[in-house]
Amino acid sequence: MASGQQWVLVEMVQAFYEAPAYHLILEGILILWIIRLLFSKTYKLHETYKLTEREKEDLIEEWQPDLLVPLISKDHPSLKYNIVSGPPSHKIIVNGKECINFASFNFLGLLDNERVKEKALMSLKKYGVGTCGPRGFYGTFDVHLELENRLAKFMKTEEAIIYSYGFATMASAIPAYSKRGDMIFVDEAACFSIQKGLQASRSFIKYFKHNDMEDLERLLKEQELEDQKNPRKARVTRKFIVVEGMYINTADICPLPELVKLKYRYKVRIFLEESMSFGVLGEHGKGVTEHFGVNIDDIDLISANMENAVASIGGFCCGRSFVIDHQRLSGQGYCFSASLPPMLAAAAIEALNIMEEDPGIFIVLREKCKHVYKALQGIPGLKLVGEPFAPALHLQLEKSSGSRSSDMQLLRSIVDYCLERKVALTLAQYLEKEERFLTPPSIRVVVTVKQKDDDIQKAVSCIREAASVLLK
Amino acid sequence: MARTSDADLKPPSSQNGLKCDDLRKNSCHSKTEKNGPQTGVGSRQFSHDTFEQPPMYVAVMTYLGYGIVTLFGYLRDVLRAVGLEKCHVAQEREEQKDFTPLYQDFENFYTRNLYMRVRDNWNRPICSLPGPIFDLMERVSDDYNWTFRFTGRTIHNVINMGSYNYLGFAENNEDFLKTVAEKVRQYGAGVCSTRQEIGNLKIHEELEQLVADFIGVESSMIFGMGFATNSMNIPALVGKGCLIVSDELNHTSLILGARLSGATIRVFKHNNMHSLEKLLREAVCSGQPRTHRPWKKILIMVEGIYSMEGSVVRLPEIIALKKKYKAYLYLDEAHSIGAVGPSGRGVTELFNVNPADVDVMMGTFTKSFGAAGGYIAGRKELMEYLRSHSHSAVYASAMSPAITEQVMRAMKCIMGKDGTTEGIRRIRQLAENTRYFRAKLKDMGFIIYGDDDSPVVPVLLYMPGKVVAFAREMLKRKIGVVVVGFPATPITEARARFCLSASHTREMLDKVLQQMNEVGDLLCLKFSRRKRSAFPDACKGENTEADS
């Protein structure tokens, strides 16, 4: 060992003698430079403006934050909630007056159905109220599994997944699949739940004009050109189209067959939000896919809430197992939230039973929608927005005054007038600062199967009267 | 090497009514205010959050375990690709095979190869009330957990240590649920509208008043889903140009709400006041990044009890910091409302803090009240703002009336307004159960995290194989436990989490403890190196201090 070391030392000394002079001088200078750097004072970039303790105390003293919430004036219109005493069924007591309900999304009248209530009571007797846990930790009840099976069977898909709140359904589904770097094409009139899902997903969002397939195709073509420039990136960028079956903001339907064609041409997946069309459109109430006769497997994900036609609480997504199963581990509203209370799930199952037993109610609903649509035509000063078979129509001002707040005030006065005369209507509510594309202010007119002809007659004449009195 | 915690040197503070000499010694972390008179369930001085570290070999074995499973995972992927192993994973449609793949292979690596093999320990379906005893549906798998089938049999009378049923309101007693049944008969299931349109029922306003009274603030607002309460209201309170300072271990709903708001988010170490103060100081002094404009607002987000650690927030210290730096405090009491405090009012009562000092008090009704939904409570101006600007009030359905009634009756019971002492009895029972269970477990030699008062008891298991074996063994012995691993917890700290309930009787707890003892010996889970009494069964009563 020692001899080896000695031998290396000898070699080193020899090399030292054999090296040329400039080499040694250069090495010497470098070594001196290194020593200098090691011992010189370190120079931190922030040294120049490091604050002294005194300055920090002063800054802390001086800083005045904004108020936690800005003060709201007492007359802010959104502060005056209508108080409903008693159930919001066909006859609803609003602010003390019994009115005919044209404002709740109780399309099939299942809110006060006796069978549904019986089943909910039976479930209450067995399971109590809450589930006390998320689905992963003993919050999965046999009722939930049954509801998921029934929904999957009803929609003729492989699998369904339930959420405990309608809003959270689409808002959790979109970010589960679409991540940063992916591309989503969405309609401008998409509802707020979709907008929150898009925001949470952090993907690139491209809006196309409402129901304008040409605009969508143009965007898709542009994206295709981009992809050709960068094929490697394109191979891992997922692309989605998010549309609603029946739009809540404009009461019309999306052109689903064209969308499916675009899907296959440009290789984009379709997510369909069917909160307003589930239990409304189609021969058996299966929604817009049945309405158009589109193969349900062509739609990657259908999401709907059970708070409209099904008159319960919660939401569901259905589709192929390949797609839906992923949400069981990555849907935030599913994994990190308590599951749906069993009595609400039981109510939903019974509602599904009723829907399956009697597809005639959908025909009745459609007839009533057509009736209301025709009756509300031609009111001077108001225009009706929506399809003839849409159950939730919008009445907008024919000529806007230019300012949104005065339009809202006018419409509110019409609503108040009708409330006085025992017809319950409501203004469509939006968060003006948060919406990306704000729809013009409107009154929501909701059609349910429980409304009789003379109820509709009364409501229409009331609105007509209000319009003629208040809109000059 | 592993640190030994202070617990070896100082005995834990005693929470029962007995005056103890240790209380004087125990002023270690206390910068808290003077406490009120000792009540039956103990007002507190600052607690002992014990986070004992395991021996080194445990960490090594844990990593080794994960390493081996990962290697096997790769091997199986290769076998599947080659075709030697049947691929059970659901496949994309034929017509869409040339679309961009919906999932990236490595994203699902963990799910395919690790989670699938052990997933029978989660999502266990039950077919009864989630009370202290429940019935599980027996499910078996013929293909190593890829698919399950129900045999049709039920496993009866399994002790439930996993549901969040702190005060035992998950019950189906006809008398107690009379009013709820009435409401179902009257109102039906849903509401079919939003609060701002025509879904604002009188019963909602009554509940809001009751919640405000319960918490001791001016006003409150309720929402239909606890998760959504956070994710839909934080964006209404803060926005761009504001700073959110949030604890490392905050719940997903808080993180989602913070992200959706668009504010800048900074994270401080869990329950660490130095880290928080440093962050606040730096934030106020330097302002927004790059432009150095002053922040519009600073919001500190913490939870009352952290559900994975069982630790309790250091509320008095945070309030002192918040006042000094003029920040606002958002307190999420999902697990602590109803479960801690002498009369169930949460951490503000536990620490004797004025609820008005907390700017935004948030909580859920799922855990201690046996219902669903959430609330936010605070000053009148805050509530008025939320009534007009909350995303939930405008776009999301209102709470179901029957659920609202359940919350009301549970809250009235806790407050004593129903004329019985049932509420106080339950709170005391929960506190007693908590103390007993924690003390016994510590005695047996398990490492448990969290504050001595918190009904959430995480027992550390560390190694992935042991986690799974523990869950399965306990089920064999008819005890239902919840185990959590990566990614909900750090990779080396997989744990079993027990949630105690006021409806657990002493016999049930004793049975669970006895089985834990056996399973702990069987699987070598007693990692604690604290001195413990040689005869754990002989120790009766509350004062199970260490023998040091």
Side-chain angles (χ1 to χ4, degrees), chain A residues 253-445:
Chain A
I253 52 176
C254 66
L256 199 57
E258 281 90 22
L259 279 167
V260 173
K261 276 200 209 100
L262 285 174
K263 162 185 170 155
Y264 286 111
R265 201 178 307 155
Y266 295 96
K267 314 240 180 299
V268 240
R269 294 173 200 269
I270 300 186
F271 284 176
L272 188 61
E273 220 282 335
E274 288 221 73
S275 296
M276 301 296 277
S277 50
F278 182 75
V280 172
L281 293 180
E283 198 188 313
H284 297 101
K286 296 199 207 315
V288 73
T289 48
E290 199 183 22
H291 179 86
F292 281 115
V294 168
N295 177 7
I296 198 145
D297 281 336
D298 281 334
I299 313 290
D300 294 88
L301 179 94
I302 297 183
S303 138
N305 71 23
M306 300 192 287
E307 290 158 5
N308 299 337
V310 181
S312 179
I313 303 269
F316 68 92
C317 287
C318 62
R320 297 184 66 244
S321 289
F322 174 72
V323 181
I324 298 293
D325 207 42
H326 181 72
Q327 278 180 55
R328 292 201 198 270
L329 282 180
S330 48
Q332 288 194 329
Y334 180 83
C335 301
F336 296 104
S337 173
S339 48
L340 185 64
M343 67 177 171
L344 300 175
I349 296 177
E350 191 58 22
L352 269 182
N353 284 343
I354 297 177
M355 281 163 63
E356 282 182 343
E357 283 164 23
D358 179 22
I361 38 171
F362 305 116
I363 304 179
V364 172
L365 179 63
R366 233 165 290 148
E367 287 304 319
K368 292 218 195 276
C369 292
K370 281 200 199 99
H371 184 76
V372 172
Y373 184 82
K374 238 189 307 178
L376 284 172
Q377 296 288 351
I379 300 186
L382 292 175
K383 70 170 182 232
L384 191 62
V385 173
E387 299 271 348
F389 45 79
L393 300 159
H394 289 268
L395 271 175
Q396 292 176 1
L397 285 174
E398 241 178 274
K399 235 186 340 174
S400 161
S401 68
S403 120
R404 193 186 169 89
S405 46
S406 50
D407 285 351
M408 295 270 281
Q409 238 171 339
L410 261 178
L411 290 170
R412 193 166 298 116
S413 58
I414 298 182
V415 169
D416 289 335
Y417 188 96
C418 293
L419 269 172
E420 285 289 316
R421 281 154 192 68
K422 316 264 176 82
V423 173
L425 293 170
T426 177
L427 271 179
Q429 299 284 351
Y430 302 100
L431 276 175
E432 281 149 32
K433 296 211 179 60
E434 305 278 335
E435 289 265 4
R436 216 183 151 89
F437 299 98
L438 203 46
T439 18
S442 63
I443 299 178
R444 239 194 256 285
V445 180

Side-chain angles (χ1 to χ4, degrees), chain A residues 1-12:
Chain A
M1 253 329 185
S3 62
Q5 279 177 338
Q6 263 185 341
W7 190 68
V8 170
L9 202 60
V10 161
E11 266 214 350
M12 270 173 64

Side-chain angles (χ1 to χ4, degrees), chain A residues 124-344:
Chain A
L124 180 65
K125 283 202 189 77
K126 184 172 176 196
Y127 298 104
V129 182
T131 53
C132 300
R135 289 290 291 258
F137 302 150
Y138 304 112
T140 305
F141 285 47
D142 45 357
V143 203
H144 298 134
L145 297 174
E146 198 192 325
L147 179 57
E148 288 181 353
N149 283 336
R150 290 296 304 282
L151 281 166
K153 237 184 270 166
F154 182 76
M155 295 294 283
K156 295 216 181 49
T157 58
E158 281 177 19
E159 201 174 325
I161 180 175
I162 305 182
Y163 284 82
S164 55
Y165 206 43
F167 188 94
T169 311
M170 204 50 167
S172 305
I174 297 179
Y177 301 100
S178 184
K179 315 272 185 206
R180 209 190 279 267
D182 294 329
M183 192 105 238
I184 307 186
F185 300 94
V186 70
D187 190 299
E188 276 181 358
C191 66
F192 200 69
S193 168
I194 296 180
Q195 288 176 39
K196 286 294 132 185
L198 296 174
Q199 194 183 354
S201 74
R202 298 199 263 211
S203 316
F204 294 119
I205 317 284
K206 292 221 171 109
Y207 290 92
F208 61 91
K209 292 200 195 45
H210 178 53
N211 270 351
D212 187 345
M213 290 300 105
E214 274 149 21
D215 199 29
L216 175 58
E217 182 143 21
R218 174 185 64 88
L219 286 171
L220 287 168
K221 273 209 183 72
E222 275 171 24
Q223 185 59 33
E224 207 180 23
L225 289 171
E226 283 290 325
D227 289 346
Q228 280 162 358
K229 283 190 213 137
N230 196 341
R232 186 175 288 184
K233 186 164 156 223
R235 226 174 297 140
V236 291
T237 310
R238 295 171 278 237
K239 295 192 262 296
F240 302 95
I241 297 178
V242 179
V243 282
E244 286 181 52
M246 182 174 298
Y247 290 91
I248 188 172
N249 293 340
T250 54
D252 50 7
I253 52 176
C254 66
L256 199 57
E258 281 90 22
L259 279 167
V260 173
K261 276 200 209 100
L262 285 174
K263 162 185 170 155
Y264 286 111
R265 201 178 307 155
Y266 295 96
K267 314 240 180 299
V268 240
R269 294 173 200 269
I270 300 186
F271 284 176
L272 188 61
E273 220 282 335
E274 288 221 73
S275 296
M276 301 296 277
S277 50
F278 182 75
V280 172
L281 293 180
E283 198 188 313
H284 297 101
K286 296 199 207 315
V288 73
T289 48
E290 199 183 22
H291 179 86
F292 281 115
V294 168
N295 177 7
I296 198 145
D297 281 336
D298 281 334
I299 313 290
D300 294 88
L301 179 94
I302 297 183
S303 138
N305 71 23
M306 300 192 287
E307 290 158 5
N308 299 337
V310 181
S312 179
I313 303 269
F316 68 92
C317 287
C318 62
R320 297 184 66 244
S321 289
F322 174 72
V323 181
I324 298 293
D325 207 42
H326 181 72
Q327 278 180 55
R328 292 201 198 270
L329 282 180
S330 48
Q332 288 194 329
Y334 180 83
C335 301
F336 296 104
S337 173
S339 48
L340 185 64
M343 67 177 171
L344 300 175

Side-chain angles (χ1 to χ4, degrees), chain A residues 57 61 63 66 68 81 84 105 117 132 138 140 165 199-200 238 263 269 322 431 435 444, chain B residues 92 96 100 102-103 124 126 164 185 192 197 202 259-260 296-297 326 328 387 395 397 481:
Chain A
E57 293 294 328
E61 189 72 42
W63 179 59
D66 288 350
L68 179 59
Y81 284 7
V84 175
F105 290 145
K117 287 186 193 176
C132 300
Y138 304 112
T140 305
Y165 206 43
Q199 194 183 354
R238 295 171 278 237
K263 162 185 170 155
R269 294 173 200 269
F322 174 72
L431 276 175
E435 289 265 4
R444 239 194 256 285
Chain B
E92 175 71 275
Q96 291 178 215
T100 314
L102 192 53
Y103 315 116
R124 287 185 179 152
I126 78 178
Y164 302 137
R185 271 191 211 100
C192 296
E197 292 189 8
K202 191 134 156 271
R259 270 183 45 210
L260 285 177
K296 286 203 201 133
K297 299 185 249 229
K326 292 178 250 190
Y328 298 111
R387 262 181 246 281
Y395 294 106
S397 160
V481 301

